[in-house]
Structures are given as C-alpha cells and as structure tokens.
Amino acid sequence: MDTESTYSGYSYYSGRSRGSHRHGERSRDRHKSRSKDSRSEKSVTINTPPAEPLLGDSSVRGEQVQDDNWGETTTAVTGTSEHSLSQEDIVRITKDLEDSVGLDCRRYFTRTLAVILGLLVFLTPLAFLVLPHLLWPEKLQSCGTACEGLFISVAFKLLILLLAVWALFFRPARAGLPRVFVFRALLAVLVLLFVVSYWLFYGVRILDSQDENYQGIVQYAVSLVDALLFIHYLAIVLLELRQLQPCFSVCVARSTDGETRHYNLGQLSIQRAALAIIEHYYCDFPVHNPALLSASKSRAAKHLAGLKVYNVDGPGNNAAAAGLAHSQSRAMIAAAARRRDTSHNELYYEEAEHERRVRKRKARLVVAVEEAFTHIKRMQEEEQKKSPGDVMDPREAAQAIFPSMARALQKYLRTTKQQHCHSMESIQQHLAFCITNNMTPKAFLESYLTPGPTLQYSRNHWLARQWTLISEASVTNSLKDGTIFLLKCVDFSLVVTSKKIPYIQMSEEYIDPKSHKFVLRLQSETSV
C-alpha cells in the first residue's frame, strides 16, 4: 500500500510539472523583462578600478567561486570591474559623506577656537606691557634694572609656555569623539575666565587711573604668565598623568568569532576608553575573516538540504494544506534531531580532513618558496660576475621568481580562507622587501602561515570609516565597575566589559634568621 501511494504521488507531480512547463517559461520571460526594467530604474552601474586581488574577487566575505588555474595562467591583473549599487546604497553613501563633512567642520571649528584662545593668552601679557607706552608715555616712570630683568623673565616664560602648549594641545588628532572632552573644555573655560579677570582688573586699576608705576605693571604681567604656567601644569596632571595608573581591567570580545583580549586602563571616560580599545584592536587582534565563519552555516544548510518532504496525495483544501504543512515541519524537526546524533562525527572528520589539506598545502608551499629563494641565491652569485648595468633590482627579482611559487601560495591561501587578505601586488612587494633585506624563506612565509594583527594588511581590508559607540550611560562618564558598552563596525562589533582592579592588602611576616639554624650531634662511639 505504501509503495502504490508513493508511486501515484510521483506520477501526479511529474504530470503536473509537464503540464505547467510552457506556462513556467512564459512567466519566467515576463519576470526577466520586469526585472530588467526595475534594475534600470533603481540601480546604477559604476566602473571602478580593480583592487588587484591574488585570487579573483577581493570581497571581504570570500563567498564567490574563483579560478583554480590563476597561478598557472595569470601573470598580471588588468581591466575594470563592475559593481551594481542600489538606490539605498547611494543614499547611505551620501549620508556618510554628509556625516564626514560635519565631522571635519566640527574638528576645524574646535581647532580655530583653540588657536584664537591661544593667541589671546599669549598676546595679553605683551599688551599689558605695550599699552602704557602707547596711551600715556609721558607719565610713566623710568624702568630700572630690576624692571628690565623682568622683561627677560617674561620673554623666557612665554617661550616655555608656547612650546609646552604646542606639545600638549596641538598634536595631530587621533580620532573624532562623539562628545567634547570634559577636562579639556574645563581647562579652556578656566583659562578664558582667568584672562578676562586679569583684563578687567587691568582696565579698572591701570587703564582708568593711568598708573605711572611701570615696574608694577611689568610685575602684574609676570604674575599673569606665572599663573598660566601653573594652569598648564594642571592640564598635564588632568590630561596625561591621571590616566597612567591602571584602575580597570577591560575584556574586549569580538562578536563574530569570540576573539578576546584583556587590557588595563586608568581613569578614563567611556569615549576615551573606547578610543584606546580601538587603537589596541588594530595592533593586537587578528584580522577579521568572515570566510572562516561561513563553515558552520554551510554545514547546517548541508544537513537540512538532504531532507525532502513529498506530498503523495496531491493538493487539497486549505485546512488539509495547513495540517500538511504542520506535519511536514514536525517531520523536518524529527529528522534533524535524528541526524544531530551523528553530526559530531561528521564535524570531526571534516575538521580532520581540513587539517590534513592545510598541512599538505603548507608543505608544498614551503618547498616551493625554499626552491625560489635558492634560485635567488644562484641569481645573486651570477649577478656579482656581471657588469653593474646588468644587475637586477629586488623588484625585478621578485617578479621573476613569483610565478614559481604563485600556484602553491594560491592554493594554501584559498584553503585557509585568506585569499581576500593578500593581493598579488602586496605579495610581490613583501617578496621584494625580503630579498632586499636578505631574509630567509621562513621569514617570508610567516606573514601567510600565521594570521597577523589587523594593521599588517591593506587599508582596504580593515579600515572602518566610522565606529559607533553604544552605551547606556553617558559617554562622558568615567569608567565604573561593570560598565558595558559596544563598539559597532560594519561587519562586527566589540563588546567591552570593565572590571575594577581590586584593592590589594599586603602584610609582612618576619622570619627570624636563627630559626633556620640547627645542630647536628654525632655520637663519638660506634658499634663494632
């Protein structure tokens, strides 16, 4: 009975498919025409220069199939590639450009205010000394030796203050933070109020009364410069020294692959702690490789792809169809549960096979690179016998030996899912660098056998245009025990958790040196 019902169901399905074949072709033709019209209305095509990838597509996700014969047939990469952008992508790019323009304007506006405040600070003591000579020169008393010595003091103090302000405040900006730096803003307000207070006192007590004691005016200007130097010392303490002592241990975990690092930070606000973490990320974390994350997804899809449910009774009413769909879902879940019992064996053998392939590719790559470097040594010995005009430079030597190792390197990078991280141009540059500095084959291969930190790769593969800081607390608040925030990028996010370093209580225990001494007593008489 089961065999007959299965056969009848198959006949019904095949007959229905033959009957609807012509209708399917007409519907596909109409769908193609509509899709072409929609693409012409909602997307544009932009011709961009190639990124010269080693293994075909340089996409970060590494999902497209690439040519296996590149290492044997390709010696150069030329031409253009076409990428389709939808209307949403154009809107997003426009928004990013507007945001970048806004950030640049804010940065230049802040720098302009800092320059204006700096000029006000440095010109104020000079104005205090010059204005009496311009407004009431005939009433001023003569400046003696002590007064002239104060001129030298003011000049050197202003020079020291100028160099100190340039070293502390006019350094290249490392990043654009979402909020203002609180301590720097407070210092700027303090300096502004301080200078305004000096100007008010100078206007009331000196300009209005036209004070004749010029030595007192010079001493007033010297006191202003001394106070500015003390404010600069306060800025050093708040901006630089306060954060040196570690107070928090932060755990940084990448959301996609769980890569984790731990760092010690001082008294910092959340936004400045996020900046320090991003700087550590580029130097310490291995480059993000989405191609390695697709293995589990493809394995799950492969397990579910082998499950098929057939309707042997044909289509029925809506209630029957709903019941059938429910029974099909239950059958799929039950079959997946039965297959889950044996999935660990499949995972074990897949990983063992992958490790075997990696070791095999690595052995071939090592042999190919060693043979290429041996050929370089022979070439160098031959070039020493040639005239100086016929000597080959390292770039030409790298291009000459690269084809001999290209295929082995290609297969290894593809097996380890690193093909998007290394372009042909970058490999040749690294090879020329190793030849120039007389490095060994092992030193050349280290960049490809072991994933390095993010900064070692091309900027096109790791540079994020903008990081987004997500925090429940205000980003200007200081770090606290248990503070959690996220640093979100395009493909992943960094989850940061802070823990306060505990207070350590140490005690001392004194051990008397005489307690280690002992006496060995030997018997004088021995048994015979």
Side-chain angles (χ1 to χ4, degrees), residues 120-141:
L120 177 64
V121 167
F122 285 102
L123 293 180
T124 296
L126 300 179
F128 287 171
L129 299 178
V130 173
L131 286 178
H133 286 282
L134 297 178
L135 298 180
W136 60 94
E138 65 281 353
K139 297 181 180 180
L140 290 177
Q141 298 177 1

Side-chain angles (χ1 to χ4, degrees), residues 3-180:
T3 307
E4 292 177 359
S5 62
T6 304
Y7 180 77
S8 63
Y10 172 77
S11 301
Y12 172 78
Y13 177 77
S14 61
R16 186 179 179 183
S17 62
R18 287 194 301 268
S20 60
H21 178 69
R22 291 186 296 273
H23 177 71
E25 290 180 350
R26 290 194 298 269
S27 63
R28 282 195 298 270
D29 294 337
R30 290 195 299 269
H31 178 70
K32 288 181 179 179
S33 62
R34 287 196 300 268
S35 62
K36 289 180 180 179
D37 295 337
S38 63
R39 283 196 301 268
S40 63
E41 294 175 357
K42 296 183 179 180
S43 64
V44 295
T45 301
I46 300 175
N47 294 329
T48 58
E52 293 188 355
L54 174 62
L55 305 168
D57 190 8
S58 62
S59 175
V60 176
R61 304 191 182 277
E63 296 177 351
Q64 298 183 1
V65 180
Q66 302 179 16
D67 185 12
D68 291 337
N69 299 323
W70 180 91
E72 297 177 351
T73 59
T74 304
T75 56
V77 179
T78 58
T80 58
S81 61
E82 294 184 355
H83 302 278
S84 178
L85 295 178
S86 62
Q87 191 68 25
E88 291 79 4
D89 294 334
I90 296 177
V91 174
R92 179 177 55 81
I93 293 173
T94 305
K95 184 178 181 300
D96 292 341
L97 291 175
E98 292 177 355
D99 293 341
S100 64
V101 172
L103 291 174
D104 292 339
C105 293
R106 186 177 65 178
R107 184 175 62 200
Y108 289 124
F109 178 73
T110 305
R111 183 61 60 86
T112 302
L113 289 181
V115 171
I116 293 174
L117 182 60
L119 291 177
L120 177 64
V121 167
F122 285 102
L123 293 180
T124 296
L126 300 179
F128 287 171
L129 299 178
V130 173
L131 286 178
H133 286 282
L134 297 178
L135 298 180
W136 60 94
E138 65 281 353
K139 297 181 180 180
L140 290 177
Q141 298 177 1
S142 61
C143 186
T145 304
C147 180
E148 293 177 354
L150 292 177
F151 285 155
I152 300 176
S153 175
V154 169
F156 277 100
K157 288 179 180 179
L158 284 178
L159 179 60
I160 294 173
L161 182 62
L162 176 64
L163 295 177
V165 169
W166 170 79
L168 183 62
F169 293 102
F170 288 91
R171 291 175 291 184
R174 297 183 297 171
L177 299 179
R179 298 290 181 88
V180 67

